[in-house]
């Protein structure tokens, strides 16, 4: 017999604001993410605006994409921005040594990326090259993008057709500096981060939020070293952090080992549970990194940016191993839901997150057919769509009682994940049933405000590895959920096995 779980929510006790930027995205020059994904070129039969796919833009606008990180990833530390400006036909080529060892023609560069961001209505997050670049090169790129007057870089931008500077709020200082970004030691990188941050200047009214390449998984030493490199963060509670403002964190979920990560489809029930347990690790990582940060930064001036997260499976058979193309199923959707619950709970420290990656790479929102160009929205996309009500809302604590657990590896996996937020007279509750086999009922014990209405959505399917294809676009898509009833304590919610449910509340 299953127990009834209760979720107690005090609707009148709003916590930290959940930045919409935790719903951020990441697009690298990798496989078919940029080329064939976002960019098809002006002459393509696929409908486009100045070479950028219109259907991709439309789909991402529909989920209010808040920001887009580019050009990498590992690619960022090989990328020299001057190769990606000027007439497309005469741009130099380069080898994309990390991803398939293919030749990159730089058709998609700075102007194309900024055009994409403008079409999307998303804030650009530019990841600068520390690994193989120079301080001067990065400094010039910021000037090129953001300076208004007749400085050398502003004049060069104008010569390339863009009169006004762009607004660039987010700037990355390197990527995975402990690995593909230079194989540096934490102490060495901390010094470089200070130096690069100094020369990435605020031009005019453009204020950069500088994000130093952060830790891999549970590398707390990396985070601690970066935090120690700040001048006294404990002084002046009202002051701001400098010379950089945030540190990043990368963590990927896989069911197997690095050399055999597990397949995206056709996995076993055991693999489902291992995946959920590993997705739940994000919560633990945020707690541990935040604890280290709190020690040096009690006023929380430094942000934590999870700028790469998501599932990483073995590539689809017959595809280029360097292109990281994988299918996306209901399991991926639940992984995303679990991550968002963790980001909501850590809203006071986690200021941004970027799923890897938006189109055709790793845990994508969108898959495009290389032959026909057909576009498919993945189950993960639908979680982003169901969660837009959490953007910039205040986090609400959810106290779960009587949650069943399951032993997975050496841990106990709670079979329910939940989070909630409030914005004015509406609240949104996210509920995941991670149990692969068993339907459950959950009581929402809603306190502090009157609930005068509700609507609910559910995302599930019969098979754990259900996914969408060009022939079956809606095999996994949200539908209205009728399984919500009044209960003396609030509402009673049916949670089908392996399902994600959102309940929107109208409040008085
Ligand atoms: O997202 C794919 C790769 O994963 C990124 O390029 C790198 O930063 C990470 O190792």
């Amino acid at each position: 017999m299953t127990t009834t779980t209760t979720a107690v929510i005090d609707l009148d006790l709003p916590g930290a604001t959940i930045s919409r930027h935790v719903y951020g995205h990441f697009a690298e020059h990798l496989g078919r993410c940029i080329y064939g994904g976002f960019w098809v070129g002006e002459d393509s039969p696929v409908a486009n605006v100045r070479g950028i796919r219109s259907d991709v833009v439309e789909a991402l606008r529909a989920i209010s994409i808040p920001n887009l990180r580019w050009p990498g990833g590992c690619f960022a530390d090989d990328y020299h921005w001057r190769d990606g400006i000027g007439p497309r036909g005469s741009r130099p080529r380069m080898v994309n040594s990390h991803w398939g060892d293919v030749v990159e023609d730089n058709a998609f560069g700075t102007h194309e990326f900024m055009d994409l961001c403008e079409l999307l209505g998303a804030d650009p997050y530019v990841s600068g090259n520390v690994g193989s670049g120079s301080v001067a090169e990065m400094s010039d790129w910021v000037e090129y993008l953001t300076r208004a007057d007749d400085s050398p870089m502003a004049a060069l931008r104008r010569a390339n057709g863009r009169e006004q500077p762009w607004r660039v709020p987010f700037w990355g200082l390197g990527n995975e500096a402990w690995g593909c970004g230079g194989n540096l030691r934490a102490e060495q990188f901390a010094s470089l981060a200070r130096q690069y941050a100094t020369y990435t200047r605020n031009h005019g009214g453009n204020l950069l939020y500088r994000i130093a390449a952060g830790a891999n998984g549970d590398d707390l030493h990396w985070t601690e070293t970066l935090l120690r490199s700040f001048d006294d963060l404990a002084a002046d509670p009202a002051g701001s952090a400098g010379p950089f403002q945030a540190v990043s964190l990368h963590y990927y979920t896989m069911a197997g080992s690095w050399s055999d990560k597990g397949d995206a489809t056709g996995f076993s029930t055991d693999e489902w549970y291992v995946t959920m347990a590993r997705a739940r690790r994000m919560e633990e990582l945020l707690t541990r990194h935040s604890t280290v940060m709190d020690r040096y930064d009690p006023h929380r001036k430094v942000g934590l940016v999870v700028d790469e997260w998501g599932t990483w499976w073995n590539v689809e058979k017959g595809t280029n191993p360097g292109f990281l193309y994988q299918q996306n199923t209901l399991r991926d959707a639940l992984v995303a839901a679990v991550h968002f619950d963790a980001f909501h709970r850590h809203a006071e420290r986690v200021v941004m997150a970027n799923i890897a990656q938006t189109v055709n790479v790793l845990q994508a929102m969108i898959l495009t057919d290389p032959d026909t160009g057909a576009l498919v929205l993945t189950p993960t996309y639908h979680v982003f769509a169901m969660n837009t009500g959490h953007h910039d809302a205040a986090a609400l604590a959810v106290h779960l009682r009587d949650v069943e657990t399951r032993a997975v590896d050496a841990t106990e996996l709670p079979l329910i994940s939940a989070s909630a937020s409030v914005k004015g007279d509406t609240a949104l509750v996210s509920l995941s049933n991670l149990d692969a086999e068993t339907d459950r009922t959950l009581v929402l014990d809603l306190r502090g405000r009157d609930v005068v209405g509700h609507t609910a959505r559910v995302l599930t399917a019969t098979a754990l590895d259900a996914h969408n294809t060009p022939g079956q676009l809606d095999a996994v898509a949200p539908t209205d959920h009728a399984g919500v009833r009044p209960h003396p304590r609030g509402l009673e919610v049916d949670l089908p096995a392996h399902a994600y449910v959102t309940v929107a509340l109208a409040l008085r």
Side-chain angles (χ1 to χ4, degrees):
M1 208 185 80
T2 58
T3 52
T4 300
T5 301
T6 302
V8 182
I9 305 175
D10 290 304
L11 296 163
D12 58 342
L13 295 178
T17 299
I18 297 166
S19 171
R20 67 184 181 285
H21 289 293
V22 300
Y23 287 87
H25 288 262
F26 171 34
E28 181 165 11
H29 287 236
L30 195 179
R32 296 190 299 110
C33 183
I34 296 293
Y35 299 109
F38 281 106
W39 176 259
V40 286
E42 284 146 348
D43 301 330
S44 171
V46 177
N48 69 85
V49 177
R50 294 180 292 279
I52 295 166
R53 273 188 80 138
S54 304
D55 51 2
V56 169
V57 168
E58 191 191 335
L60 294 173
R61 284 187 73 93
I63 54 171
S64 303
I65 176 174
N67 67 68
L68 185 62
R69 177 175 183 246
W70 171 86
C74 295
F75 181 80
D77 282 300
D78 271 338
Y79 184 66
H80 300 284
W81 67 271
R82 281 188 175 83
D83 296 347
I85 57 172
R88 255 180 235 122
S90 45
R91 293 182 190 173
R93 290 166 180 250
M94 65 176 284
V95 174
N96 189 337
S97 43
H98 290 290
W99 307 121
D101 205 30
V102 294
V103 173
E104 154 79 51
D105 68 2
N106 280 306
F108 190 92
T110 296
H111 289 249
E112 290 78 12
F113 173 65
M114 297 306 293
D115 193 13
L116 170 62
C117 288
E118 287 183 340
L119 290 172
L120 291 170
D123 284 340
Y125 171 9
V126 177
S127 201
N129 179 346
V130 171
S132 69
S134 71
V135 176
E137 181 186 16
M138 196 187 288
S139 182
D140 282 351
W141 201 7
V142 175
E143 182 185 319
Y144 185 90
L145 282 158
T146 62
R147 197 166 171 94
D149 61 12
D150 60 352
S151 78
M153 291 302 115
L156 181 59
R157 182 192 68 237
R158 259 184 225 107
N160 287 325
R162 171 78 185 196
E163 175 64 29
Q164 295 301 322
W166 289 284
R167 193 179 78 86
V168 180
F170 302 117
W171 196 270
L173 305 168
N175 171 75
E176 299 196 348
W178 39 263
C180 63
N183 281 314
L184 304 176
R185 302 278 176 229
E187 293 72 14
Q188 194 184 0
F189 176 69
S191 299
L192 284 177
R194 287 180 62 96
Q195 184 187 2
Y196 275 75
T198 305
Y199 292 95
T200 46
R201 302 188 196 282
N202 294 328
H203 294 283
N206 190 75
L207 295 185
L208 288 181
Y209 189 79
R210 301 168 189 81
I211 301 154
N216 181 25
D218 60 4
D219 185 354
L220 299 176
H221 171 71
W222 191 277
T223 297
E224 179 158 22
T225 306
L226 286 181
L227 266 286
R228 284 170 70 116
S229 79
F230 284 93
D231 302 325
D232 193 2
L233 288 166
D236 183 11
S240 52
F244 51 95
Q245 287 73 44
V247 299
S248 70
L249 170 68
H250 288 182
Y251 174 68
Y252 284 97
T253 299
M254 45 195 84
S257 60
W258 181 251
S259 55
D260 180 9
K261 302 174 180 71
D263 292 340
T265 56
F267 48 83
S268 66
T269 306
D270 277 352
E271 284 178 278
W272 165 279
Y273 285 116
V274 169
T275 303
M276 293 308 146
R278 295 200 182 170
R280 292 267 318 185
R281 272 212 78 208
M282 178 53 79
E283 174 79 37
E284 176 203 326
L285 292 174
L286 296 180
T287 302
R288 293 172 70 198
H289 284 281
S290 297
T291 304
V292 170
M293 294 176 77
D294 287 348
R295 173 155 176 232
Y296 296 93
D297 179 28
H299 309 301
R300 297 194 176 128
K301 297 173 187 170
V302 181
L304 182 58
V305 173
V306 188
D307 57 16
E308 287 186 31
W309 67 270
T311 56
W312 194 326
W313 310 124
N314 298 331
V315 298
E316 292 301 314
K317 291 188 180 45
T319 65
N320 187 327
F323 283 10
L324 309 189
Y325 177 77
Q326 64 189 40
Q327 194 43 267
N328 190 296
T329 71
L330 181 63
R331 177 175 60 164
D332 296 79
L334 270 294
V335 167
V338 164
H339 277 73
F340 287 128
D341 288 342
F343 297 152
H344 299 165
R345 270 190 289 278
H346 289 268
E348 78 293 339
R349 186 62 90 175
V350 178
V351 296
M352 194 192 314
N354 306 76
I355 191 167
Q357 300 190 7
T358 318
V359 192
N360 291 331
V361 169
L362 298 177
Q363 189 175 352
M365 309 311 100
I366 294 170
L367 301 177
T368 64
D369 188 291
D371 302 320
T372 64
L375 176 143
V376 171
L377 301 178
T378 66
T380 299
Y381 175 91
H382 292 305
V383 174
F384 277 72
M386 292 167 79
N387 275 15
T388 52
H390 289 304
H391 292 203
D392 294 331
L396 291 169
V398 179
H399 304 282
L400 289 174
R401 260 207 304 259
D402 302 323
V403 179
E404 282 186 55
T405 62
R406 179 184 170 110
V408 183
D409 293 338
T411 60
E412 285 293 321
L413 169 70
L415 291 170
I416 302 284
S417 178
S419 66
S421 69
V422 62
K423 200 192 292 179
D425 288 339
T426 57
L428 185 64
V429 183
S430 290
L431 301 166
S432 299
N433 183 2
L434 307 184
D435 194 319
E437 293 119 330
T438 310
D439 297 347
R440 287 162 192 281
T441 301
L442 177 142
V443 171
L444 284 178
D445 184 341
L446 302 169
R447 305 176 180 185
R449 291 183 69 176
D450 291 335
V451 177
V452 293
H454 68 264
T455 56
R457 308 275 284 158
V458 60
L459 185 73
T460 191
T462 308
L464 297 178
D465 69 347
H467 55 276
N468 299 328
T469 60
Q472 243 198 320
L473 290 173
D474 290 330
V476 189
T479 54
D480 289 342
H481 187 34
V484 184
R485 297 167 293 281
H487 181 277
R489 294 196 171 278
L491 295 170
E492 190 175 55
V493 185
D494 294 336
L495 298 180
H498 53 263
Y500 180 57
V501 170
T502 52
V503 184
L505 306 173
L507 306 176
R508 200 170 38 218

